[in-house]
Amino acid sequence: MRRHTLLGAWLLALGAACGPAPVPPPPLEPHTEPPSTPVNRGVVEPGEELPGGAATSLASDAQAYSRPAPNLPTARLSAFGSGEALFEADWFAAPHARADRDGLGPVFNAVSCEACHFQNGRGTPPTSEEQPTVSLLLRLSVPGTDAHGGPRPEPTYGDQLQTRAVAGVPAEGRATLVWTERSGSFADGEPWTLRAPDYRVSQLAHGPLAPDVRVSPRVAPPLVGSGLLEAVPESELLAWADPDDTDGDGISGRPNRVWSARRGRVELGRFGWKANQPDLEQQNAGALRGDLGITTALFPTESCTAPQKACRDAPSGGTPELDEAKLDALTAYTRGLAVPARRGHDTPGVLRGKDVFHRVGCARCHRPSLDTGAAPEHPELAHQRLWPYTDLLLHDLGEDLADGYEDSLATGREWRTPPLWGLGLTRVVSGHTRLLHDGRARSPLEAILWHGGEAQASRDAVLQLPRAERDALLAFLDSL
């Protein structure tokens, strides 16, 4: 629009200088685009092919999520390698001959980090009632908050249902899923189907759950680029927030505020499906305790509740079971993971899909770019232009995706916008294409169709797209 205005002014000036005024051009054909979307966003933007900036890897194979950032200093590669070994290692019940790796449980969900984050990729829910839950877990809470404003744990089973246990200790219970199909069609008549999960808990070892229990299913998210997101200044994220929707576009974007166990204060939440962790160290320490039953200085107590006597009496692997140096190495590993480069970012089909992505409103929450800040302790992460397609803020995604689980400031209908970088390599890395917080969506298109709440208008717009534009949108997502 501005370019046309400038060109018109230049022509008028040229005409005034050279004699008679030029014949005016014929009027433009009225466009059919909504007035709010006059700009074609289907153009290549500088640097978008390297979504992690200098921390982008060119790998596109099964290890694409596991590469160290190319700009990681040699001095940090040792810690990265040590952390990778810990990430992949199986843990054992205490006491064990491998005293450096005992302390598993007493109750737990997995024996290693990689069991859930296979190759640092996405987890997946069971496909049948007979399959165990491995990379999907159930968070538990009851109404109210803990001492720091976080969820109040279920009195008997704590904040997470642990489906496995060491010898002599009963597992807390079993979680299973039953799927119900629902269907519909796009405006052009092409049909679609979705599968809605129904979560069931059985074989409870210590009696029934509290009658007012809230259950939040969550699969393991991919880990690429986490260090870069940690390096984005808080001011950059808050500038995008609009908690009261003052601009009236129907999109809020609220920051979560969560407790930092390391610094003993409330901070901005960045990680986790509800942005319930302030940094990577606490994200890792919380997963170690909740998923593996490994204690750290940050979370030094086992997750055994008062009614679970056998759990409380089980041998410990030390106090804590993972020392500070190893927690540092594990954090260095997750912080140093590269982001895979885009594939085909400048092809016509992908650029058309990029324009559709913006036009239907996906970019209002999936913010295309962010800049990292100074990061004096990690200069390799500093001052990078990122293309993660997230704002790290909370958004109401509607009743279909609501879990009723309040997490600090996150309501039971709100979720953090997940980053989309690396999305197109999900099948290559993880062997599946399951998406959303519980993995219910079998494809990116299904994930879109599950959106409601603030994203309802975007979802409805996608339903109206012709097949060619839907395909272009998916081609764009596949290039991320």
Side-chain angles (χ1 to χ4, degrees), residues 342-343 350 353-354 357 362 389 420 422-425 444-445 448 471-480:
R342 297 272 305 275
R343 287 92 42 219
V350 167
K354 180 180 178 182
F357 182 85
C362 302
Y389 288 90
L420 298 182
L423 177 65
L425 295 173
L445 188 57
I448 293 169
D471 288 346
L473 174 61
L474 297 179
F476 167 68
L477 295 174
D478 194 54
S479 77
L480 298 179

PDB file of all heavy atoms in Angstrom, residues 342-343 350 353-354 357 362 389 420 422-425 444-445 448 471-480:
ATOM      1  N   ARG A 342      14.989 -24.916   7.794  1.00  0.00           N
ATOM      2  CA  ARG A 342      13.804 -25.097   6.952  1.00  0.00           C
ATOM      3  C   ARG A 342      14.181 -25.872   5.692  1.00  0.00           C
ATOM      4  O   ARG A 342      15.312 -25.842   5.225  1.00  0.00           O
ATOM      5  CB  ARG A 342      13.241 -23.729   6.558  1.00  0.00           C
ATOM      6  CG  ARG A 342      12.747 -22.860   7.699  1.00  0.00           C
ATOM      7  CD  ARG A 342      11.308 -23.136   8.041  1.00  0.00           C
ATOM      8  NE  ARG A 342      10.412 -23.020   6.904  1.00  0.00           N
ATOM      9  CZ  ARG A 342       9.858 -21.867   6.480  1.00  0.00           C
ATOM     10  NH1 ARG A 342      10.159 -20.731   7.098  1.00  0.00           N
ATOM     11  NH2 ARG A 342       9.022 -21.852   5.458  1.00  0.00           N
ATOM     12  N   ARG A 343      13.210 -26.549   5.101  1.00  0.00           N
ATOM     13  CA  ARG A 343      13.370 -27.219   3.824  1.00  0.00           C
ATOM     14  C   ARG A 343      12.370 -26.631   2.844  1.00  0.00           C
ATOM     15  O   ARG A 343      11.170 -26.623   3.099  1.00  0.00           O
ATOM     16  CB  ARG A 343      13.121 -28.739   3.949  1.00  0.00           C
ATOM     17  CG  ARG A 343      14.225 -29.534   4.655  1.00  0.00           C
ATOM     18  CD  ARG A 343      14.012 -29.677   6.138  1.00  0.00           C
ATOM     19  NE  ARG A 343      12.650 -29.957   6.493  1.00  0.00           N
ATOM     20  CZ  ARG A 343      12.052 -29.423   7.567  1.00  0.00           C
ATOM     21  NH1 ARG A 343      12.711 -28.592   8.359  1.00  0.00           N
ATOM     22  NH2 ARG A 343      10.807 -29.712   7.854  1.00  0.00           N
ATOM     23  N   VAL A 350       5.127 -23.475  -0.763  1.00  0.00           N
ATOM     24  CA  VAL A 350       5.351 -23.139   0.652  1.00  0.00           C
ATOM     25  C   VAL A 350       5.054 -21.663   0.902  1.00  0.00           C
ATOM     26  O   VAL A 350       4.431 -21.306   1.914  1.00  0.00           O
ATOM     27  CB  VAL A 350       6.801 -23.497   1.050  1.00  0.00           C
ATOM     28  CG1 VAL A 350       7.159 -22.877   2.395  1.00  0.00           C
ATOM     29  CG2 VAL A 350       6.975 -25.010   1.105  1.00  0.00           C
ATOM     30  N   GLY A 353       1.441 -21.179   1.061  1.00  0.00           N
ATOM     31  CA  GLY A 353       0.941 -21.643   2.349  1.00  0.00           C
ATOM     32  C   GLY A 353       1.279 -20.700   3.479  1.00  0.00           C
ATOM     33  O   GLY A 353       0.501 -20.531   4.432  1.00  0.00           O
ATOM     34  N   LYS A 354       2.432 -20.048   3.382  1.00  0.00           N
ATOM     35  CA  LYS A 354       2.803 -19.056   4.402  1.00  0.00           C
ATOM     36  C   LYS A 354       1.811 -17.898   4.391  1.00  0.00           C
ATOM     37  O   LYS A 354       1.399 -17.405   5.455  1.00  0.00           O
ATOM     38  CB  LYS A 354       4.220 -18.550   4.121  1.00  0.00           C
ATOM     39  CG  LYS A 354       4.714 -17.506   5.111  1.00  0.00           C
ATOM     40  CD  LYS A 354       6.126 -17.048   4.752  1.00  0.00           C
ATOM     41  CE  LYS A 354       6.607 -15.951   5.714  1.00  0.00           C
ATOM     42  NZ  LYS A 354       7.950 -15.462   5.338  1.00  0.00           N
ATOM     43  N   PHE A 357      -1.277 -19.083   6.085  1.00  0.00           N
ATOM     44  CA  PHE A 357      -1.035 -19.160   7.529  1.00  0.00           C
ATOM     45  C   PHE A 357      -1.297 -17.806   8.193  1.00  0.00           C
ATOM     46  O   PHE A 357      -1.958 -17.718   9.230  1.00  0.00           O
ATOM     47  CB  PHE A 357       0.416 -19.601   7.758  1.00  0.00           C
ATOM     48  CG  PHE A 357       0.816 -19.782   9.195  1.00  0.00           C
ATOM     49  CD1 PHE A 357       0.582 -20.970   9.858  1.00  0.00           C
ATOM     50  CD2 PHE A 357       1.465 -18.752   9.878  1.00  0.00           C
ATOM     51  CE1 PHE A 357       0.973 -21.141  11.182  1.00  0.00           C
ATOM     52  CE2 PHE A 357       1.852 -18.913  11.190  1.00  0.00           C
ATOM     53  CZ  PHE A 357       1.609 -20.110  11.851  1.00  0.00           C
ATOM     54  N   CYS A 362      -3.329 -17.666  12.006  1.00  0.00           N
ATOM     55  CA  CYS A 362      -2.498 -18.542  12.852  1.00  0.00           C
ATOM     56  C   CYS A 362      -1.357 -17.765  13.507  1.00  0.00           C
ATOM     57  O   CYS A 362      -0.962 -18.055  14.645  1.00  0.00           O
ATOM     58  CB  CYS A 362      -1.924 -19.693  12.028  1.00  0.00           C
ATOM     59  SG  CYS A 362      -3.149 -20.737  11.220  1.00  0.00           S
ATOM     60  N   TYR A 389       7.804 -19.605  15.713  1.00  0.00           N
ATOM     61  CA  TYR A 389       6.336 -19.630  15.592  1.00  0.00           C
ATOM     62  C   TYR A 389       5.667 -19.940  16.928  1.00  0.00           C
ATOM     63  O   TYR A 389       4.844 -20.844  17.045  1.00  0.00           O
ATOM     64  CB  TYR A 389       5.901 -20.585  14.468  1.00  0.00           C
ATOM     65  CG  TYR A 389       6.224 -20.013  13.102  1.00  0.00           C
ATOM     66  CD1 TYR A 389       7.454 -20.266  12.496  1.00  0.00           C
ATOM     67  CD2 TYR A 389       5.330 -19.172  12.462  1.00  0.00           C
ATOM     68  CE1 TYR A 389       7.783 -19.693  11.266  1.00  0.00           C
ATOM     69  CE2 TYR A 389       5.644 -18.605  11.235  1.00  0.00           C
ATOM     70  CZ  TYR A 389       6.867 -18.864  10.651  1.00  0.00           C
ATOM     71  OH  TYR A 389       7.184 -18.291   9.429  1.00  0.00           O
ATOM     72  N   LEU A 420       6.620 -24.193  16.608  1.00  0.00           N
ATOM     73  CA  LEU A 420       6.386 -25.041  15.441  1.00  0.00           C
ATOM     74  C   LEU A 420       7.676 -25.394  14.710  1.00  0.00           C
ATOM     75  O   LEU A 420       7.629 -26.184  13.752  1.00  0.00           O
ATOM     76  CB  LEU A 420       5.414 -24.343  14.475  1.00  0.00           C
ATOM     77  CG  LEU A 420       4.014 -24.051  15.012  1.00  0.00           C
ATOM     78  CD1 LEU A 420       3.153 -23.413  13.920  1.00  0.00           C
ATOM     79  CD2 LEU A 420       3.350 -25.317  15.538  1.00  0.00           C
ATOM     80  N   GLY A 422      10.792 -27.210  13.441  1.00  0.00           N
ATOM     81  CA  GLY A 422      11.059 -28.650  13.401  1.00  0.00           C
ATOM     82  C   GLY A 422       9.824 -29.501  13.156  1.00  0.00           C
ATOM     83  O   GLY A 422       9.927 -30.734  13.063  1.00  0.00           O
ATOM     84  N   LEU A 423       8.648 -28.879  13.025  1.00  0.00           N
ATOM     85  CA  LEU A 423       7.394 -29.633  12.912  1.00  0.00           C
ATOM     86  C   LEU A 423       7.423 -30.638  11.761  1.00  0.00           C
ATOM     87  O   LEU A 423       6.974 -31.779  11.905  1.00  0.00           O
ATOM     88  CB  LEU A 423       6.226 -28.660  12.722  1.00  0.00           C
ATOM     89  CG  LEU A 423       4.837 -29.285  12.516  1.00  0.00           C
ATOM     90  CD1 LEU A 423       4.396 -30.037  13.761  1.00  0.00           C
ATOM     91  CD2 LEU A 423       3.820 -28.205  12.157  1.00  0.00           C
ATOM     92  N   GLY A 424       7.965 -30.218  10.629  1.00  0.00           N
ATOM     93  CA  GLY A 424       7.927 -31.073   9.452  1.00  0.00           C
ATOM     94  C   GLY A 424       8.804 -32.310   9.548  1.00  0.00           C
ATOM     95  O   GLY A 424       8.699 -33.206   8.698  1.00  0.00           O
ATOM     96  N   LEU A 425       9.663 -32.376  10.545  1.00  0.00           N
ATOM     97  CA  LEU A 425      10.545 -33.537  10.712  1.00  0.00           C
ATOM     98  C   LEU A 425      10.038 -34.487  11.793  1.00  0.00           C
ATOM     99  O   LEU A 425      10.740 -35.408  12.186  1.00  0.00           O
ATOM    100  CB  LEU A 425      11.965 -33.064  11.055  1.00  0.00           C
ATOM    101  CG  LEU A 425      12.671 -32.276   9.952  1.00  0.00           C
ATOM    102  CD1 LEU A 425      13.990 -31.702  10.461  1.00  0.00           C
ATOM    103  CD2 LEU A 425      12.918 -33.174   8.743  1.00  0.00           C
ATOM    104  N   PRO A 444      -1.014 -32.306  11.358  1.00  0.00           N
ATOM    105  CA  PRO A 444      -1.180 -30.870  11.585  1.00  0.00           C
ATOM    106  C   PRO A 444      -2.586 -30.381  11.275  1.00  0.00           C
ATOM    107  O   PRO A 444      -3.112 -29.511  11.968  1.00  0.00           O
ATOM    108  CB  PRO A 444      -0.143 -30.252  10.645  1.00  0.00           C
ATOM    109  CG  PRO A 444       0.919 -31.296  10.525  1.00  0.00           C
ATOM    110  CD  PRO A 444       0.177 -32.603  10.529  1.00  0.00           C
ATOM    111  N   LEU A 445      -3.217 -30.945  10.232  1.00  0.00           N
ATOM    112  CA  LEU A 445      -4.570 -30.502   9.900  1.00  0.00           C
ATOM    113  C   LEU A 445      -5.551 -30.859  11.016  1.00  0.00           C
ATOM    114  O   LEU A 445      -6.422 -30.056  11.379  1.00  0.00           O
ATOM    115  CB  LEU A 445      -5.014 -31.117   8.565  1.00  0.00           C
ATOM    116  CG  LEU A 445      -6.332 -30.598   8.007  1.00  0.00           C
ATOM    117  CD1 LEU A 445      -6.297 -29.084   7.828  1.00  0.00           C
ATOM    118  CD2 LEU A 445      -6.666 -31.282   6.683  1.00  0.00           C
ATOM    119  N   ILE A 448      -5.203 -28.388  13.822  1.00  0.00           N
ATOM    120  CA  ILE A 448      -5.907 -27.129  13.543  1.00  0.00           C
ATOM    121  C   ILE A 448      -7.399 -27.283  13.839  1.00  0.00           C
ATOM    122  O   ILE A 448      -8.026 -26.414  14.447  1.00  0.00           O
ATOM    123  CB  ILE A 448      -5.679 -26.716  12.076  1.00  0.00           C
ATOM    124  CG1 ILE A 448      -4.210 -26.354  11.837  1.00  0.00           C
ATOM    125  CG2 ILE A 448      -6.580 -25.546  11.697  1.00  0.00           C
ATOM    126  CD1 ILE A 448      -3.850 -26.183  10.371  1.00  0.00           C
ATOM    127  N   ASP A 471      -3.776 -27.513   1.066  1.00  0.00           N
ATOM    128  CA  ASP A 471      -2.530 -28.216   0.758  1.00  0.00           C
ATOM    129  C   ASP A 471      -1.332 -27.281   0.887  1.00  0.00           C
ATOM    130  O   ASP A 471      -0.255 -27.678   1.363  1.00  0.00           O
ATOM    131  CB  ASP A 471      -2.592 -28.799  -0.657  1.00  0.00           C
ATOM    132  CG  ASP A 471      -3.541 -29.986  -0.749  1.00  0.00           C
ATOM    133  OD1 ASP A 471      -3.941 -30.508   0.316  1.00  0.00           O
ATOM    134  OD2 ASP A 471      -3.879 -30.380  -1.882  1.00  0.00           O
ATOM    135  N   ALA A 472      -1.498 -26.037   0.446  1.00  0.00           N
ATOM    136  CA  ALA A 472      -0.396 -25.078   0.564  1.00  0.00           C
ATOM    137  C   ALA A 472      -0.083 -24.792   2.024  1.00  0.00           C
ATOM    138  O   ALA A 472       1.090 -24.716   2.415  1.00  0.00           O
ATOM    139  CB  ALA A 472      -0.762 -23.786  -0.172  1.00  0.00           C
ATOM    140  N   LEU A 473      -1.121 -24.642   2.842  1.00  0.00           N
ATOM    141  CA  LEU A 473      -0.906 -24.406   4.273  1.00  0.00           C
ATOM    142  C   LEU A 473      -0.128 -25.564   4.897  1.00  0.00           C
ATOM    143  O   LEU A 473       0.823 -25.352   5.664  1.00  0.00           O
ATOM    144  CB  LEU A 473      -2.255 -24.241   4.977  1.00  0.00           C
ATOM    145  CG  LEU A 473      -2.239 -24.118   6.499  1.00  0.00           C
ATOM    146  CD1 LEU A 473      -1.443 -22.903   6.949  1.00  0.00           C
ATOM    147  CD2 LEU A 473      -3.668 -24.046   7.045  1.00  0.00           C
ATOM    148  N   LEU A 474      -0.476 -26.785   4.542  1.00  0.00           N
ATOM    149  CA  LEU A 474       0.221 -27.946   5.091  1.00  0.00           C
ATOM    150  C   LEU A 474       1.647 -28.037   4.559  1.00  0.00           C
ATOM    151  O   LEU A 474       2.557 -28.468   5.277  1.00  0.00           O
ATOM    152  CB  LEU A 474      -0.561 -29.222   4.777  1.00  0.00           C
ATOM    153  CG  LEU A 474      -1.957 -29.303   5.411  1.00  0.00           C
ATOM    154  CD1 LEU A 474      -2.657 -30.586   5.012  1.00  0.00           C
ATOM    155  CD2 LEU A 474      -1.862 -29.191   6.936  1.00  0.00           C
ATOM    156  N   ALA A 475       1.854 -27.611   3.313  1.00  0.00           N
ATOM    157  CA  ALA A 475       3.221 -27.596   2.764  1.00  0.00           C
ATOM    158  C   ALA A 475       4.089 -26.613   3.537  1.00  0.00           C
ATOM    159  O   ALA A 475       5.268 -26.885   3.812  1.00  0.00           O
ATOM    160  CB  ALA A 475       3.181 -27.230   1.279  1.00  0.00           C
ATOM    161  N   PHE A 476       3.508 -25.477   3.895  1.00  0.00           N
ATOM    162  CA  PHE A 476       4.261 -24.504   4.694  1.00  0.00           C
ATOM    163  C   PHE A 476       4.609 -25.100   6.061  1.00  0.00           C
ATOM    164  O   PHE A 476       5.760 -25.026   6.506  1.00  0.00           O
ATOM    165  CB  PHE A 476       3.438 -23.234   4.869  1.00  0.00           C
ATOM    166  CG  PHE A 476       3.970 -22.300   5.915  1.00  0.00           C
ATOM    167  CD1 PHE A 476       5.174 -21.637   5.722  1.00  0.00           C
ATOM    168  CD2 PHE A 476       3.288 -22.105   7.110  1.00  0.00           C
ATOM    169  CE1 PHE A 476       5.689 -20.782   6.700  1.00  0.00           C
ATOM    170  CE2 PHE A 476       3.795 -21.268   8.090  1.00  0.00           C
ATOM    171  CZ  PHE A 476       4.996 -20.609   7.885  1.00  0.00           C
ATOM    172  N   LEU A 477       3.624 -25.699   6.728  1.00  0.00           N
ATOM    173  CA  LEU A 477       3.898 -26.285   8.046  1.00  0.00           C
ATOM    174  C   LEU A 477       4.942 -27.390   7.943  1.00  0.00           C
ATOM    175  O   LEU A 477       5.785 -27.558   8.841  1.00  0.00           O
ATOM    176  CB  LEU A 477       2.606 -26.820   8.651  1.00  0.00           C
ATOM    177  CG  LEU A 477       1.541 -25.773   8.990  1.00  0.00           C
ATOM    178  CD1 LEU A 477       0.254 -26.438   9.456  1.00  0.00           C
ATOM    179  CD2 LEU A 477       2.045 -24.804  10.057  1.00  0.00           C
ATOM    180  N   ASP A 478       4.902 -28.140   6.865  1.00  0.00           N
ATOM    181  CA  ASP A 478       5.867 -29.231   6.682  1.00  0.00           C
ATOM    182  C   ASP A 478       7.276 -28.705   6.445  1.00  0.00           C
ATOM    183  O   ASP A 478       8.252 -29.421   6.641  1.00  0.00           O
ATOM    184  CB  ASP A 478       5.428 -30.095   5.493  1.00  0.00           C
ATOM    185  CG  ASP A 478       6.177 -31.413   5.451  1.00  0.00           C
ATOM    186  OD1 ASP A 478       6.165 -32.137   6.466  1.00  0.00           O
ATOM    187  OD2 ASP A 478       6.788 -31.719   4.404  1.00  0.00           O
ATOM    188  N   SER A 479       7.388 -27.454   6.021  1.00  0.00           N
ATOM    189  CA  SER A 479       8.718 -26.879   5.765  1.00  0.00           C
ATOM    190  C   SER A 479       9.369 -26.348   7.037  1.00  0.00           C
ATOM    191  O   SER A 479      10.542 -25.994   7.029  1.00  0.00           O
ATOM    192  CB  SER A 479       8.603 -25.740   4.751  1.00  0.00           C
ATOM    193  OG  SER A 479       8.089 -24.547   5.362  1.00  0.00           O
ATOM    194  N   LEU A 480       8.586 -26.271   8.125  1.00  0.00           N
ATOM    195  CA  LEU A 480       9.132 -25.674   9.355  1.00  0.00           C
ATOM    196  C   LEU A 480      10.050 -26.652  10.066  1.00  0.00           C
ATOM    197  O   LEU A 480      10.006 -27.855   9.841  1.00  0.00           O
ATOM    198  CB  LEU A 480       7.987 -25.251  10.285  1.00  0.00           C
ATOM    199  CG  LEU A 480       7.051 -24.178   9.734  1.00  0.00           C
ATOM    200  CD1 LEU A 480       5.945 -23.879  10.747  1.00  0.00           C
ATOM    201  CD2 LEU A 480       7.813 -22.902   9.413  1.00  0.00           C
TER     202      LEU A 480
END
